[in-house]
Amino acid sequence: MQFTTGQGHEKVCTMKDLSAAVKSGGEVSFHGSVHKIRDMGDVAFVLVRIIDGVFQCVYTPQKANFNIKVLKEECCVKFSGIISEEPRAPGGFEVSLTDVCVLSSPHAVMPVSINKGKLKVNLDTELNYRPAALRAGVMRAKFPPPPPLVRGFRDYLHLQGFTEIHTPKLVAAAAEGGANVFKMDYFGKKAFLAQSPQFYKQTMVGVFERVFEVGPVFRAEKHSTARHLNEYTSLDFEMGYISGFEDLMEVETGFLKYTLELLKNEYKSEIELLNIDIPKIDKIPCVTFAEAKEMVCAEYDRPIKDPNDLEPEEEQLIGKLFLEKHKSDFVFITHFPSKKRPFYTMDDPQNTKVTLSFDLLFRGMEITTGGQRIHDYSQQVEKIKAKGLNPEDFESYLMIHKIGMPPHGGLGIGLERLCMRLLGDDNVRHSTLFPRDINRLEP
Amino acid sequence: MQFTTGQGHEKVCTMKDLSAAVKSGGEVSFHGSVHKIRDMGDVAFVLVRIIDGVFQCVYTPQKANFNIKVLKEECCVKFSGIISEEPRAPGGFEVSLTDVCVLSSPHAVMPVSINKGKLKVNLDTELNYRPAALRAGVMRAKFPPPPPLVRGFRDYLHLQGFTEIHTPKLVAAAAEGGANVFKMDYFGKKAFLAQSPQFYKQTMVGVFERVFEVGPVFRAEKHSTARHLNEYTSLDFEMGYISGFEDLMEVETGFLKYTLELLKNEYKSEIELLNIDIPKIDKIPCVTFAEAKEMVCAEYDRPIKDPNDLEPEEEQLIGKLFLEKHKSDFVFITHFPSKKRPFYTMDDPQNTKVTLSFDLLFRGMEITTGGQRIHDYSQQVEKIKAKGLNPEDFESYLMIHKIGMPPHGGLGIGLERLCMRLLGDDNVRHSTLFPRDINRLEP
């Protein structure tokens, strides 16, 4: 009888392990992909890609017990060699190769070149060949997901007493309204793909008071823009016993500060490689929707076309204005009109035409929508009716209002958009591992 | 202009905070739900449910500046009171109430009773009212997800050099075959809901060598059993440069050991409340599919009906047999027949009728399927054809085989099933926050 013990698998060899081996200057062995070969005749330089980096090996026929011709780029190999210091090489060391075991060989050449610095292909080509493109150094620094964003979200919220949840993506009722929801047949019944974990995270506030989820959300939006995806990763949280929606903005600010500190302190090489301009975030200005509209109108002589929502160009101008006047890359816009907010959003009791809700703009683009939710049953039923919807369609959701809920609210952050703004990408597809849009379902 | 600073939200008050306040014996204030009221006339006991526990408050008209009648069960309140030691009360303290602010009141009584110890309703009723049922203490200990399972998975794999990924759930090709896949219309094209992150995690092995994902998977299986769900949370990992599928079993064993240690050391109250019988896991026995079949046949005089797959009853008997003979709650079953494994599974070169794959049984139920994958392009194309499929349908997936892949493999663990076996539940729905089955899409 054989047994597993949990100890029997090989420990992975990292850049750090190799660095540590330099001092002893002895033999090392490691596995990886042949990233690049520069054959100069009497000597060849072989760049090897291992789990967390790329480094240089040197091949000479005198020292190696194999012929360089057995190697191709993207071969997977196990190498042995002698490690030594080499200040000019990446990582500060190089390995003089002695032996090789070729584990696998590619069947075709790479469709995009990944070993010549920046990728020099257009976005569509890059996305078609993303499984190949992702092997480039700059792409490995960027994905997945952008450096410490998910880690920061999870760690910060854990510190604040939040519980992580996983909620269903196949649902019977559409939280954000009917137009942009994917429908499907579910054993003869109609089902939707969740546009957000809205109903479930609210439900769990009744259980754990503070909850969060990192998961996929689905939007059947038909427009193809540089900032829309049909599936994306949402960082959601929901929080009970708030004294107002300002509490939510404070938690989000805390998360952003915490995460940008993580980035600064622990991801120096990624910052350099990706040329990340880290935003300053001592404090984030807050302005009402109405004020923001008027400021842009006055400052840039731009007429207000849509009184109920922000146009993308207005978001850009607000971003510009607050960067200039307050040196801030972020702006909270509060009190959005009731007309454009979902039925679960609480109206402002002082002016029911606006809601106790907000967006967060980051460098001129919305990356968050949030707000206080209605917790009273009668008030929620009334608002559903006022929106022209049927409370019977939301019976399951309304159970939590019936049995009692604390004042609460929450928000959702689009992970890919947050990443896009942080990295200065001009298209959200650049910041998405395998983007889904109206034309793209593969790879 | 107002600003957020990330400091402006209230710190949550936990059981630990209250315990710490006992020594000073002074005034405390906290928010929570009224979990239970026992009104004895001249004194009332009010159990309050806060973010991480339930504790006892005492109401007397002499000390309190409010009338007990303003309280109902499931009211959300802010209380003030004087805290003192009380060894007989849960948590070792109680609060003599002085003031209350009622934040919200329920509209209806609870449809299931959550404050009398165990829930005494049948499964279907419990699931219909799960948003209410989850507020019971025993349910809060159980969800979400079962104590430290996701945490253990993430932490252990991080320690082993794995990178966390988030991959698309809307896909163009079905990884596990066509019968039990949900189909939908995607802007006039056919799309599927991912049955597993299979293709994407393999793709990412070419980038990061070791990756994992915690996310939803979807199976359109039509049978309604105690162990099947149509959406569940899968703990997936995939690992490059393996020397055999045994490496994968070693990593899984390591994860289970690590996580059960976490459970034992940090979740004592949950273990007690849920009456968890922690499995012993020094080493896990490994047996081939063929041997296991024959052992059950011989030991329990049971004819082999299906030579290509394990029947649920056989899994139970294997579990029983290995518990008796090896005192093990876990058994790895290896070398499953090629006929029943997906097209990406590598056949055993010594006997191509079986595969380099395995299941893990936990207390007589399959909780994991895994194995080594084919990494060679020609071999993969051949196997797709041999399975009666068309390689053109998998062109996007085959890109990774074309450009080169290391020997690799991985596995998926059904989170809810793992939890079900750990907690001794007799139906996986008991261990699932909001289960989806052929009849259930709500709540």
Side-chain angles (χ1 to χ4, degrees), chain B residues 203-267:
Chain B
T203 299
M204 296 312 288
V205 161
V207 182
F208 289 112
E209 192 175 315
R210 297 179 167 197
V211 295
F212 74 93
E213 178 163 8
V214 177
V217 297
F218 307 90
R219 306 273 169 119
E221 301 194 32
K222 287 207 182 68
H223 40 295
S224 178
T225 75
R227 58 190 224 152
H228 282 94
L229 293 168
N230 294 101
E231 175 180 353
Y232 65 90
T233 302
S234 186
L235 309 178
D236 269 276
F237 73 70
E238 198 79 10
M239 187 175 168
Y241 297 96
I242 57 173
S243 43
F245 67 89
E246 296 83 357
D247 280 347
L248 310 167
M249 305 194 316
E250 287 289 352
V251 172
E252 182 167 27
T253 306
F255 148 63
L256 289 167
K257 279 186 166 184
Y258 178 91
T259 303
L260 293 173
E261 279 302 307
L262 261 188
L263 178 64
K264 267 193 287 193
N265 296 333
E266 298 187 28
Y267 295 81

Side-chain angles (χ1 to χ4, degrees), chain B residues 120-134:
Chain B
K120 289 184 193 85
V121 291
N122 69 36
L123 178 59
D124 220 44
T125 306
E126 187 205 308
L127 292 178
N128 288 337
Y129 299 113
R130 186 142 271 184
L134 286 167

Side-chain angles (χ1 to χ4, degrees), chain A residues 6 104 140 200 207 250 405, chain B residues 6 104 140 207 250 405 436:
Chain A
S104 73
R140 298 211 314 171
Y200 292 96
V207 182
E250 288 288 352
M405 281 294 284
Chain B
S104 74
R140 300 213 310 172
V207 182
E250 287 289 352
M405 281 294 285
R436 295 292 176 256

Side-chain angles (χ1 to χ4, degrees), chain A residues 182 193 218 231 436 441, chain B residues 168-171 184 186 192-193:
Chain A
F182 285 111
L193 291 185
F218 307 90
E231 176 180 354
R436 294 293 177 258
L441 199 54
Chain B
K169 305 308 158 202
L170 288 169
V171 295
M184 53 176 286
Y186 187 81
F192 303 110
L193 291 186

Side-chain angles (χ1 to χ4, degrees), chain A residues 87-299:
Chain A
R88 289 165 302 177
F93 59 84
E94 73 178 14
V95 174
S96 172
L97 296 174
T98 52
D99 288 287
V100 69
C101 169
V102 177
L103 300 169
S104 73
S105 263
H107 180 86
V109 296
M110 289 291 271
V112 291
S113 171
I114 60 157
N115 55 18
K116 299 187 175 63
K118 278 204 172 178
L119 288 175
K120 290 185 191 84
V121 291
N122 69 35
L123 178 59
D124 221 43
T125 306
E126 187 204 308
L127 291 178
N128 287 339
Y129 299 113
R130 188 144 266 187
L134 286 167
R135 300 184 182 188
V138 66
M139 298 294 273
R140 298 211 314 171
K142 187 166 173 173
F143 290 111
L149 300 183
V150 172
R151 179 185 159 200
F153 188 71
R154 233 180 235 136
D155 290 357
Y156 182 74
L157 292 182
H158 273 309
L159 289 172
Q160 308 303 320
F162 284 74
T163 299
E164 184 170 9
I165 55 174
H166 296 87
T167 67
K169 305 309 160 202
L170 288 169
V171 296
E176 314 298 326
N180 65 0
V181 58
F182 285 111
K183 294 172 196 70
M184 54 177 285
D185 174 67
Y186 186 83
F187 306 113
K189 280 180 294 214
K190 193 166 66 175
F192 304 109
L193 291 185
Q195 295 159 301
S196 79
Q198 189 60 37
F199 297 167
Y200 292 96
K201 62 179 185 163
Q202 286 187 256
T203 299
M204 296 312 288
V205 161
V207 182
F208 288 113
E209 191 175 316
R210 297 178 166 198
V211 295
F212 73 94
E213 179 163 8
V214 177
V217 296
F218 307 90
R219 305 273 170 121
E221 300 194 30
K222 288 207 182 65
H223 41 295
S224 178
T225 76
R227 58 191 223 150
H228 282 94
L229 294 169
N230 295 102
E231 176 180 354
Y232 65 90
T233 303
S234 185
L235 309 178
D236 270 275
F237 74 71
E238 197 78 12
M239 187 176 168
Y241 297 96
I242 57 173
S243 43
F245 66 91
E246 296 83 358
D247 280 346
L248 310 167
M249 305 194 317
E250 288 288 352
V251 171
E252 182 168 27
T253 306
F255 148 64
L256 289 167
K257 280 186 166 184
Y258 178 91
T259 304
L260 292 173
E261 279 303 306
L262 261 187
L263 178 64
K264 268 194 286 193
N265 296 331
E266 298 187 28
Y267 295 80
K268 291 197 167 66
S269 65
E270 284 84 354
I271 291 171
E272 199 175 317
L273 191 59
L274 299 172
N275 200 12
I276 299 177
D277 175 16
I278 296 181
K280 277 185 289 293
I281 186 171
D282 295 333
K283 52 185 188 172
I284 301 182
C286 310
V287 62
T288 68
F289 175 87
E291 287 165 351
K293 279 258 177 196
E294 277 163 28
M295 284 164 85
V296 164
C297 174
E299 186 80 17

Side-chain angles (χ1 to χ4, degrees), chain A residues 45 57 63 67 81 104 117 119 134 147 167 187-188 192 269 275 284-285 317 342 351 370 374-375 389 397 406 409 421:
Chain A
F45 294 98
C57 298
K63 290 188 182 154
N67 190 318
S104 73
L119 288 175
L134 286 167
T167 67
F187 306 113
F192 304 109
S269 65
N275 200 12
I284 301 182
L317 293 173
N351 170 9
I374 298 172
H375 58 270
L389 299 165
Y397 169 57
R421 295 333 266 164

